[in-house]
Amino acid sequence: SEDGDGLLYDVIPDPVDSFEKFDDAQSLKDEIKKITPTEQKVVALRFVQGKSQSEVGKILGVSQMFVSRAERKIVDKLKEALSQ
């Protein structure tokens, strides 16, 4: 949706099923530990607690657009780390 609702696996396109190349939950958790504390908070609020980008923005004191951009950056980082 426009506010970016969805699951983390849904926003990391994976045409070759590289997710099957790692122990899904543990590998993802390990990679999340490597991102910045702010990025970890965005992941927790968006994908664990299921908050919208607008809600996350209000909690963090930033705009929805900032959250959207941060989310894309985080997804790219995780996608890159998990594809190696």
Side-chain angles (χ1 to χ4, degrees):
S1 74
E2 183 177 300
D3 201 25
D5 294 337
L7 300 174
L8 190 53
Y9 286 128
D10 294 338
V11 296
I12 302 178
D14 189 24
V16 294
D17 273 340
S18 61
F19 286 120
E20 294 188 9
K21 297 177 185 170
F22 65 93
D23 180 17
D24 294 341
Q26 189 58 50
S27 293
L28 184 55
K29 286 179 186 177
D30 291 345
E31 292 305 323
I32 289 171
K33 289 177 185 176
K34 296 176 186 177
I35 61 179
T36 70
T38 300
E39 291 171 333
Q40 290 177 18
K41 190 160 212 162
V42 170
V43 169
L45 291 168
R46 287 284 294 129
F47 301 109
V48 177
Q49 296 182 25
K51 300 205 179 290
S52 70
Q53 290 178 347
S54 296
E55 290 171 318
V56 173
K58 287 177 186 172
I59 292 167
L60 298 180
V62 298
S63 69
Q64 177 273 327
M65 185 57 72
F66 176 89
V67 174
S68 177
R69 289 180 183 141
E71 189 176 302
R72 278 194 300 268
K73 179 181 169 188
I74 294 163
V75 167
D76 288 345
K77 279 184 181 183
L78 294 174
K79 207 168 28 171
E80 167 117 9
L82 295 171
S83 68
Q84 295 177 1

